[in-house]
Amino acid sequence: ETAPGVLLGIFDNAASAAGLGIEADLTWLLSDQVTVSGRLAWLDTEFTDDPTDNPITADRESVDLAGNSLRQAPEFSYSLRGEYAFPLNNGGSLTAGANVSYKGEQFYTEFNDAITSQDGYTLVDLNFMYTAPNEQLTVNVWGRNITDELVAGGSFVNALGRAITYTYLPPATYGVTIGYRF
């Protein structure tokens, strides 16, 4: 029993959880110039028992976690990438690439509260890379999250559930990367 006005942090660990999943990674070399690769993942995770206190509720009500999804375990996720290499007359090449990735809804706490979750989202990245004839120099012009999706990459409830903190994935980002092999 604590005195009024005293802050108390409680750390609990769920007694048990179960999970089942499958993941596949594939690469297709359609020609000397075209490559397509993809990844598909399916997860089925859940806590199997252990009531615990929920810090988000005012009275820290006891919640049975059985059936709740584990943290950051989306049921479905996939990515698909395509590249096309254009040979140039000078012996170099220009490669155009596009990547689309999807992650399904995920929860950032074991309580599966909507306020500490992220709906499913799709990110799109593009790049164009020049490779010099001797392959020593590369210049890559790229864009990540080009549709500028606002995505919570994580969330946690701090002391006593009085505040919820989020971290976000980067917004639309563009750049140039220059590489040189010595």
Side-chain angles (χ1 to χ4, degrees):
E1 189 97 17
T2 60
V6 173
L7 295 177
L8 177 65
I10 299 172
F11 295 93
D12 287 332
N13 191 23
S16 60
L20 176 67
I22 188 167
E23 185 172 339
D25 291 294
L26 301 166
T27 300
W28 299 276
L29 302 173
L30 300 177
S31 72
D32 289 342
Q33 297 168 305
V34 179
T35 304
V36 176
S37 57
R39 182 190 62 78
L40 176 65
W42 169 77
L43 284 173
D44 181 20
T45 65
E46 70 178 16
F47 288 99
T48 54
D49 63 14
D50 191 31
T52 192
D53 293 338
N54 186 344
I56 293 177
T57 60
D59 61 356
R60 296 186 55 86
E61 69 187 37
S62 183
V63 175
D64 184 0
L65 298 178
N68 283 8
S69 295
L70 299 182
R71 293 178 178 207
Q72 292 185 280
E75 186 175 4
F76 289 103
S77 61
Y78 68 82
S79 67
L80 183 63
R81 177 159 181 79
E83 287 186 349
Y84 187 90
F86 303 90
L88 300 174
N89 291 336
N90 70 357
S93 66
L94 181 62
T95 303
N99 189 74
V100 176
S101 60
Y102 170 80
K103 275 192 179 179
E105 179 184 33
Q106 55 188 317
F107 298 98
Y108 297 122
T109 72
E110 58 276 12
F111 302 104
N112 291 187
D113 295 308
I115 197 167
T116 56
S117 69
Q118 171 62 53
D119 289 337
Y121 62 91
T122 302
L123 298 178
V124 178
D125 303 332
L126 297 174
N127 77 295
F128 299 93
M129 185 169 69
Y130 169 74
T131 303
N134 60 10
E135 296 186 1
Q136 281 187 296
L137 173 69
T138 58
V139 179
N140 191 20
V141 178
W142 49 266
R144 296 186 184 123
N145 186 13
I146 64 168
T147 57
D148 201 26
E149 299 297 318
L150 181 62
V151 178
S155 173
F156 67 92
V157 179
N158 70 7
L160 303 176
R162 304 241 186 249
I164 298 172
T165 304
Y166 299 91
T167 57
Y168 290 93
L169 298 183
T173 308
Y174 303 92
V176 176
T177 303
I178 299 172
Y180 188 83
R181 294 182 188 177
F182 293 96

